[in-house]
Amino acid sequence: MFSLLCTGVCNLLIANLLLVEFLHMGTHDLHPHVVDHRQELKHILLFGFCYEDVVYSLPLFSHSSILYPVLVHTQQLPYRKGLTNSARKIDMAIENEQPAVGLSKVAVSETHGEDSPYFAGWKAYDENPYDESSNQSGVIQMGLAENQVSFDLLEKYLEEHSEASSWGIGAPGFRENALFQDYHGLKSFRQAMANFMEQIRGGRAKFDPDRIVLTAGATAANELLTFILADPGDALLVPTPYYPGLDRDLRWRTGVKIVPIHCDSSNNFQVTPEALEAAYECAESMNLKVRGVLITNPSNPLGATIQRSVLEEILDFVTRKNIHLVSDEIYSGSTFSSSEFISIAEILEAHDYKNSERVHIVYSLSKDLGLPGFRVGTIYSYNDKVVTTARRMSSFTLISSQTQHLLACMLSNKEFTENYIKTNRESLRKRYEMIIKGLKNAGIECLKGNAGLFCWMNLSPLLEESTREGELALWKVILNEVRLNISPGSSCHCSEPGWFRVCFANMSEQTLEVALERIHKLMEQRKSKET
Amino acid sequence: MTLTRSIQHRNPKPEVQSRKPSGATAMRLIVPLQGVVQGRGGLIFGSLIPCALFYFLQLYLKRHRSPNSQSSPSSPSTSSSNLAEMTRTSSRSNLLSRGSIGPVRISSRASSIAKPNDSPYYVGLDKASEDPYDRIGNPDGVIQLGLSENRLCFDLIEKWMLENLRDSIMGREGGDLSISGIATYQPFDGTMELKLAMAGFMSRVMGGAVSFEPLQMVLTAGATPAIETLCFCLADHGNAFLVPTPYYPGFDRDVKWRTGVELIPVHCRSTDNFMLTISALDQAFNQTRKRGTKIRGILLSNPANPVGNLLSREMLYDLLDFAREKNIHIISDEIFAGSMYGKEEFVSMAEVLDSEDSDKSRVHIVYGLSKDLSLPGFRVGMIYSFNENVLAAARKLTRFSSISAPTQRLLVSMLSDTRFIEEYIETNKKRIQNMHDLFVAGLQELGINCADSSAGLYCWADMSKLTPTYSEKGELELWDMLLNVAKINVTPGSACHCIEPGWFRCCFTALAPEDIPVVMGRIREVAEICTQSS
């Protein structure tokens, strides 16, 4: 009861603050008399109460001993959307200029994050892309986590199996397919996905095709889960450093907030129970309701898997707090050795699926199969309610039946998938070793990785000042002078400056050699400057 | 002396109000506390005391709340026949072992979706998909007239696919168009090739009267996300759109679900053949405005789903004037533009804008290939907007619903095959016309009249003579009989928010001409039962 009272008072204070803001916003829905005398209003008395997550407040404006009660529904006030000041200005500008018709806060917000260095680097690349023969001085794209090392296998498969890209010899297959718009997805495809996911985990976890919800890419899967697990204003805890796109995917349309779980290099950026607890407390102190933890395993941008003991601790934590756990495992098949990756599904199986209803896995074919253009993602949830809801919501993000059919054929071919997974792992390991060796020769250390399409490079000795600004200054040099687009750690919310994510699977070996040479040169220059 | 004015009241609809029981009324009771305000310490004490009182009240409410009322508002359910459905779905789900603490909560917006679909629209669809009619295989099954599907021209598409399919995905002779051209990340809002092809197709479908600019297009995985994305761009939580009724039942889901945007029905009547009037719009606008809800736009389907009538050129001009006057947006869903069969001419919103150099930035068109090319499985939808800011935002939002690259490539070659497209459009129109005439004539023989229509895959039939009572209840009783006795799934008008009871939407393009006598026979059966009992 005490806590209830406390939150009540907090809400009231927030509402009071909002009210002052509200008055300055020039809202046309206020009583005209109130608007006219806005500046003179002295006494503001507020009655408020909270019901079903919505703060209702009743401010009374007093002006020349007349009271103007106004019912304010705070859900419509800006704090709900977490608007920045600049965004609010834009919104006001739109409200005030008569002819221009207004847009929503989603449309004018900056949460898409495309102005961050992570995306700014892409623009530099787009303007001047490196090409082995035609543009040797261009920018090399090392900021894009794309897997092109196994295209030959995919191409060979499609060449040999024309039944996948056509609809077989009989026509009726097509008829069903073109009309197929059931949000459950093709049964054969869900079965194939479940098998593929099992195969990647070395058969150590089982997946039920009826729990697979298909979405157009993992981006949509993450957003959809956030819609289901949290309400606007609630929070998800995410260990840093994390994939910059999460700021957009989890927050933009859902109105949910991210509270970072700070990890650092002292223990190789692994999540600790203390860090989890600290993040939880931090969220509570901001009066945010924590609805879950989201991990990426293997981690993007670290390129390393999460240890079993850490997973146990995280699962224990979410159970204790009675919150959800989302495990984004889109790089699970890009682990260099099958035994090094432990899925949350295996942990659940070991616990006999106790507490599994709070666990949700996100998977996609964009990274492991190198098919981001096919836009295939999936949610695997152990919670029936989440499965049902996600399936209905997937109407907004369905996969074309033609693509489902093609992939169902491809993934049902055991011979192909086995060979693919094995060869892909080997090729990635080879690439990884190549880049680590090259960087080491240049005198650069990386975090020890075992998965993914990137490595986590430590350039902190090169920083002129050990701050975010110092890191971005170095990043600009690397982008504009060395002409490599890599992602600065600060865009991943890394708490230590000087770390960079470097992708190595979206180019040919020759291009990688060129990139390593360029880094080598940079290091030589720096050394000669120092001496 | 004391003026009471409530602003920004949300959802004045009865079902929502009942959810917050004594809250709103209790609050008004304590309004005249002037003495406290005038004093200096008023701000602090005046806040704390009533606040404490309300939290006790809230605590009381929380304790005395029945356990199931926690999961947010009940949707306007009317059908009783699906109670069995509900228990069955939930009993299916005991696969997992429960944790020791209570089950983990999901968000309130999700829990309203998690409940079984109890709108007759979805119940009927489920029932029909469980026991589908087949002329030879299952002649006693449920005939599906509730899903908007066009199966009339499959032979044409099938033939094209057989001839061209492999080449079009993989590229001819493995040239430049190898797998890497479709495997890697593509623009989320669709490839330029497909946009160009779509522009050509659309202007062909609309009779060549308009040309479409590929740069103003944003492609999405179906028209459903196109509409949702637009709503996310145009309206905030709690804002509203005006929608002429009867409207497509899916709008309730597409628009309201995740965006929190409201739909305000603008009622059209059979006496006007369900044509929209500006006065009705104006009335709905003012009423909503009075309640404190901000209206952001009008959502139209033209050709209208479910009625199948068209908006005239004059009406489009009037609508533009109205939108300009009120400074709101117009979303024009033109997904049936190519499924025309009448003599009337279809006028696209884009065409009207072409001729008028007015402020175009408030107009947004939705299109897709699900109906006109009958490829719903391929999930191709489009936003065509004249507003740069909307386009920029929508382009970024398409990362949540983009079309797979192999499908895009396939469609590029299909839409670029002009000979095929010409043949397809012509044949499709003829066949829809034929089915429409047969179906409407069949209904007329039974004494059932349809609204005048000239486009779409449906007819909008007036069965009010057959309903046991002239009310929504009577309509649903007839619907239930049609579904369970006659085994025909049609969409009741109430699911489309039609204000007059007794109207039904029947999709006739999923049938073969041979099936029509079967459908009519089954309706006759029900009609006889109804007339006997009355």
Side-chain angles (χ1 to χ4, degrees):
Chain A
M1 193 175 74
F2 180 70
S3 68
L4 201 66
L5 258 173
C6 283
T7 48
V9 174
C10 281
N11 280 338
L12 200 68
L13 289 176
I14 295 172
N16 247 316
L17 284 174
L18 281 169
L19 198 71
V20 175
E21 229 165 88
F22 188 57
L23 282 174
H24 290 125
M25 270 173 62
T27 310
H28 40 270
D29 283 330
L30 282 173
H31 188 275
H33 196 86
V34 176
V35 177
D36 291 346
H37 298 273
R38 213 163 8 155
Q39 305 308 326
E40 301 156 44
L41 289 174
K42 289 276 151 48
H43 303 283
I44 297 170
L45 171 65
L46 197 80
F47 301 114
F49 82 113
C50 178
Y51 187 75
E52 302 256 315
D53 294 346
V54 176
V55 186
Y56 295 86
S57 43
L58 183 74
L60 296 175
F61 302 102
S62 110
H63 171 250
S64 47
S65 78
I66 303 178
L67 283 176
Y68 301 96
V70 180
L71 180 67
V72 179
H73 190 293
T74 31
Q75 202 166 32
Q76 303 195 334
L77 289 179
Y79 93 108
R80 276 262 157 196
K81 312 278 173 198
L83 267 191
T84 61
N85 263 331
S86 58
R88 197 176 305 134
K89 261 179 221 149
I90 296 170
D91 193 39
M92 277 171 67
I94 287 168
E95 299 276 339
N96 294 340
E97 279 168 32
Q98 234 302 309
V101 58
L103 301 188
S104 72
K105 285 167 190 152
V106 167
V108 297
S109 93
E110 305 274 305
T111 323
H112 55 76
E114 290 188 14
D115 305 324
S116 85
Y118 178 77
F119 293 103
W122 288 26
K123 273 169 218 150
Y125 165 78
D126 285 339
E127 281 159 19
N128 181 18
Y130 170 85
D131 188 284
E132 256 167 72
S133 45
S134 61
N135 186 13
Q136 291 174 356
S137 63
V139 177
I140 299 178
Q141 172 63 295
M142 302 185 96
L144 178 63
E146 214 170 58
N147 179 0
Q148 303 184 357
V149 298
S150 303
F151 272 168
D152 51 333
L153 297 177
L154 295 175
E155 255 159 0
K156 192 162 151 260
Y157 171 84
L158 286 175
E159 248 160 55
E160 286 168 6
H161 297 86
S162 55
E163 79 275 5
S165 51
S166 65
W167 264 281
I169 300 140
F174 163 73
R175 225 164 246 252
E176 285 155 33
N177 213 286
L179 276 177
F180 186 84
Q181 50 177 333
D182 181 353
Y183 53 47
H184 288 82
L186 284 182
K187 176 91 183 160
S188 58
F189 182 47
R190 275 183 292 135
Q191 183 67 57
M193 272 301 262
N195 292 344
F196 188 64
M197 286 166 74
E198 282 172 15
Q199 232 177 321
I200 281 173
R201 286 157 186 77
R204 296 185 301 268
K206 290 269 163 289
F207 292 102
D208 173 3
D210 288 336
R211 290 192 173 280
I212 286 188
V213 179
L214 299 172
T215 60
T219 306
N222 275 325
E223 192 202 33
L224 218 151
L225 266 179
T226 312
F227 264 118
I228 294 171
L229 305 183
D231 284 311
D234 292 347
L236 292 179
L237 308 181
V238 184
T240 63
Y242 61 81
Y243 164 57
L246 290 181
D247 282 330
R248 169 199 62 210
D249 303 348
L250 306 187
R251 301 189 311 160
W252 194 6
R253 298 199 291 192
T254 62
V256 169
K257 299 196 160 69
I258 293 180
V259 174
I261 304 170
H262 289 291
C263 303
D264 55 47
S265 58
S266 61
N267 67 342
N268 291 334
F269 297 97
Q270 290 278 358
V271 181
T272 62
E274 295 76 39
L276 281 167
E277 203 64 54
Y280 194 89
E281 273 164 28
C282 170
E284 278 198 326
S285 72
M286 290 189 282
N287 203 22
L288 299 174
K289 202 183 277 172
V290 176
R291 289 308 186 103
V293 175
L294 184 139
I295 52 173
T296 57
N297 180 27
S299 161
N300 177 7
L302 298 176
T305 55
I306 301 181
Q307 291 158 13
R308 182 181 291 270
S309 59
V310 176
L311 285 174
E312 297 268 8
E313 280 162 7
I314 297 174
L315 190 60
D316 190 52
F317 174 81
V318 294
T319 309
R320 227 167 345 103
K321 300 288 187 195
N322 196 22
I323 55 178
H324 294 270
L325 173 62
V326 179
S327 178
D328 178 339
E329 302 187 350
I330 62 173
Y331 290 99
S332 48
S334 306
T335 318
F336 309 147
S337 143
S338 150
S339 58
E340 280 181 69
F341 168 70
I342 295 145
S343 166
I344 194 74
E346 291 169 47
I347 308 271
L348 289 178
E349 195 147 298
H351 288 245
D352 218 10
Y353 296 103
K354 199 164 168 260
N355 281 316
S356 63
E357 85 278 4
R358 64 184 74 252
V359 178
H360 322 282
I361 298 173
V362 169
Y363 187 61
S364 110
L365 298 180
S366 302
K367 309 299 177 182
D368 288 354
L369 211 57
L371 293 177
F374 282 47
R375 310 306 308 140
V376 178
T378 137
I379 294 169
Y380 189 89
S381 174
Y382 295 89
N383 185 319
D384 293 337
K385 226 174 176 180
V386 172
V387 171
T388 319
T389 319
R391 200 156 269 157
R392 291 193 179 141
M393 233 187 234
S394 71
S395 319
F396 298 113
T397 175
L398 294 174
I399 309 169
S400 131
S401 54
Q402 178 255 344
T403 303
Q404 290 190 44
H405 170 84
L406 193 159
L407 290 168
C409 290
M410 190 187 263
L411 296 183
S412 311
N413 188 326
K414 258 251 149 66
E415 197 189 332
F416 165 76
T417 48
E418 264 167 25
N419 178 42
Y420 180 90
I421 294 172
K422 196 166 136 269
T423 320
N424 185 45
R425 286 188 204 276
E426 278 163 17
S427 319
L428 286 176
R429 175 196 291 281
K430 217 177 115 208
R431 277 297 177 88
Y432 175 76
E433 279 164 1
M434 179 179 163
I435 189 169
I436 291 293
K437 202 172 136 225
L439 290 175
K440 200 160 199 150
N441 284 342
I444 299 170
E445 292 294 327
C446 291
L447 181 83
K448 196 181 170 325
N450 58 5
L453 314 174
F454 30 73
C455 61
W456 188 237
M457 176 170 80
N458 183 6
L459 293 184
S460 58
L462 265 63
L463 296 190
E464 278 171 21
E465 46 173 332
S466 187
T467 58
R468 181 173 184 268
E469 287 68 38
E471 177 184 290
L472 288 178
L474 178 63
W475 170 76
K476 272 185 196 140
V477 170
I478 295 175
L479 180 64
N480 298 323
E481 291 168 26
V482 189
R483 305 207 171 189
L484 299 179
N485 176 37
I486 57 178
S487 313
S490 57
S491 68
C492 304
H493 300 264
C494 184
S495 36
E496 287 173 33
W499 292 87
F500 292 85
R501 187 188 79 164
V502 188
C503 298
F504 53 75
N506 58 328
M507 62 193 82
S508 66
E509 273 183 34
Q510 288 79 1
T511 311
L512 187 57
E513 296 274 9
V514 176
L516 287 169
E517 261 167 49
R518 290 187 187 179
I519 295 182
H520 204 87
K521 241 183 236 162
L522 170 81
M523 295 302 280
E524 293 290 309
Q525 275 172 8
R526 291 266 160 159
K527 262 183 219 158
S528 57
K529 242 190 232 169
E530 275 166 31
T531 49
Chain B
M1 185 177 96
T2 306
L3 291 165
T4 310
R5 177 181 156 83
S6 59
I7 60 159
Q8 303 187 347
H9 243 317
R10 244 177 96 231
N11 284 341
K13 279 176 250 157
E15 78 266 11
V16 182
Q17 253 182 6
S18 64
R19 174 182 148 216
K20 312 160 189 154
S22 51
T25 41
M27 228 169 26
R28 291 212 183 104
L29 293 177
I30 48 91
V31 169
L33 273 176
Q34 283 187 44
V36 193
V37 201
Q38 308 292 335
R40 277 281 152 108
L43 187 63
I44 297 159
F45 285 105
S47 310
L48 281 180
I49 296 164
C51 163
L53 284 172
F54 275 113
Y55 287 101
F56 283 120
L57 174 74
Q58 201 193 332
L59 194 73
Y60 174 82
L61 285 174
K62 231 179 202 164
R63 286 228 173 129
H64 293 256
R65 198 164 20 181
S66 57
N68 56 359
S69 70
Q70 194 169 6
S71 49
S72 59
S74 59
S75 45
S77 147
T78 24
S79 151
S80 57
S81 64
N82 52 37
L83 278 170
E85 189 102 353
M86 277 188 203
T87 43
R88 208 204 41 205
T89 13
S90 51
S91 68
R92 202 195 291 152
S93 58
N94 282 329
L95 289 157
L96 42 101
S97 58
R98 293 280 167 202
S100 47
I101 341 165
V104 59
R105 275 199 58 190
I106 62 173
S107 73
S108 47
R109 57 186 155 205
S111 34
S112 61
I113 311 168
K115 278 185 281 174
N117 276 328
D118 43 16
S119 126
Y121 177 65
Y122 292 104
V123 171
L125 290 185
D126 285 350
K127 180 121 190 176
S129 66
E130 275 162 26
D131 178 24
Y133 167 84
D134 187 286
R135 210 172 308 138
I136 301 137
N138 187 14
D140 294 327
V142 178
I143 300 181
Q144 177 63 284
L145 304 177
L147 193 65
S148 63
E149 255 178 14
N150 180 356
R151 292 170 177 260
L152 302 177
C153 285
F154 263 144
D155 50 336
L156 299 180
I157 298 183
E158 212 163 70
K159 191 165 144 255
W160 187 90
M161 291 275 182
L162 281 176
E163 284 165 6
N164 302 283
L165 194 73
R166 211 180 117 71
D167 280 352
S168 52
I169 292 180
M170 290 300 294
R172 272 161 236 277
E173 288 132 28
D176 290 341
L177 297 169
S178 62
I179 182 89
S180 55
I182 49 173
T184 53
Y185 279 104
Q186 305 297 318
F188 287 114
D189 60 323
T191 57
M192 197 31 116
E193 291 82 21
L194 183 55
K195 287 182 184 175
L196 277 167
M198 286 288 279
F201 180 71
M202 281 166 78
S203 69
R204 174 66 196 78
V205 149
M206 297 182 191
V210 227
S211 60
F212 291 88
E213 171 54 61
L215 291 174
Q216 285 169 232
M217 287 177 183
V218 173
L219 302 182
T220 57
T224 304
I227 291 171
E228 198 204 28
T229 304
L230 266 179
C231 290
F232 266 117
C233 290
L234 305 182
D236 288 319
H237 193 281
N239 293 164
F241 280 100
L242 299 175
V243 193
T245 67
Y247 64 79
Y248 164 54
F251 278 162
D252 284 325
R253 177 198 63 194
D254 302 353
V255 175
K256 287 152 77 172
W257 225 359
R258 304 201 294 189
T259 62
V261 169
E262 274 184 65
L263 293 181
I264 309 289
V266 180
H267 293 298
C268 304
R269 288 164 199 284
S270 56
T271 45
D272 310 329
N273 194 39
F274 297 100
M275 286 307 285
L276 177 65
T277 58
I278 294 293
S279 60
L281 263 181
D282 203 46
Q283 197 188 354
F285 185 90
N286 290 332
Q287 274 172 2
T288 316
R289 194 76 205 184
K290 250 181 227 154
R291 275 172 26 212
T293 304
K294 188 166 191 174
I295 292 170
R296 291 291 200 151
I298 311 168
L299 173 60
L300 304 160
S301 60
N302 180 31
N305 174 6
V307 180
N309 52 12
L310 305 175
L311 292 176
S312 65
R313 196 178 292 269
E314 292 69 41
M315 187 63 203
L316 292 178
Y317 281 119
D318 291 349
L319 274 168
L320 278 173
D321 286 340
F322 180 80
R324 198 175 306 127
E325 187 196 317
K326 308 288 183 194
N327 196 21
I328 55 176
H329 294 271
I330 296 179
I331 301 177
S332 175
D333 176 357
E334 303 185 353
I335 195 158
F336 290 101
S339 306
M340 299 278 305
Y341 48 78
K343 292 208 167 54
E344 232 183 312
E345 170 213 21
F346 170 74
V347 185
S348 165
M349 198 55 114
E351 191 182 333
V352 172
L353 285 177
D354 253 1
S355 57
E356 203 182 357
D357 47 20
S358 66
D359 168 28
K360 300 177 178 179
S361 65
R362 62 182 81 252
V363 179
H364 320 279
I365 294 169
V366 171
Y367 190 65
L369 296 181
S370 302
K371 312 295 176 193
D372 287 353
L373 205 58
S374 47
L375 291 176
F378 280 36
R379 312 305 306 149
V380 179
M382 174 199 289
I383 296 169
Y384 187 78
S385 173
F386 296 87
N387 187 318
E388 273 311 314
N389 295 327
V390 169
L391 285 171
R395 243 173 235 137
K396 286 174 189 149
L397 285 172
T398 47
R399 65 172 55 250
F400 299 114
S401 62
S402 43
I403 313 166
S404 91
T407 303
Q408 293 196 45
R409 186 179 278 179
L410 172 65
L411 286 168
V412 169
S413 36
M414 187 191 262
L415 297 177
S416 317
D417 187 343
T418 33
R419 219 191 43 194
F420 163 74
I421 291 296
E422 292 285 325
E423 186 195 347
Y424 177 86
I425 293 175
E426 284 316 309
T427 320
N428 191 32
K429 273 185 186 169
K430 263 184 226 145
R431 290 185 185 171
I432 295 180
Q433 164 106 56
N434 181 34
M435 283 302 286
H436 170 262
D437 294 351
L438 285 174
F439 201 90
V440 170
L443 284 177
Q444 221 144 31
E445 257 174 56
L446 301 175
I448 298 169
N449 289 321
C450 295
D452 288 338
S453 62
S454 35
L457 314 176
Y458 322 101
C459 62
W460 183 239
D462 178 10
M463 303 197 192
S464 56
K465 280 184 214 147
L466 302 182
T467 55
T469 51
Y470 187 72
S471 65
E472 188 177 320
K473 189 168 157 281
E475 175 184 298
L476 288 170
E477 277 169 23
L478 178 61
W479 169 78
D480 200 73
M481 258 203 288
L482 285 169
L483 182 63
N484 294 309
V485 180
K487 295 204 167 182
I488 291 177
N489 178 42
V490 291
T491 312
S494 53
C496 304
H497 300 259
C498 184
I499 197 170
E500 295 174 28
W503 291 84
F504 290 85
R505 184 185 88 165
C506 314
C507 170
F508 49 76
T509 47
L511 298 171
E514 304 90 281
D515 296 328
I516 289 185
V518 183
V519 174
M520 296 308 152
R522 290 186 182 191
I523 296 179
R524 188 189 302 275
E525 252 175 69
V526 170
E528 274 161 12
I529 298 172
C530 290
T531 40
Q532 270 166 21
S533 61
S534 62

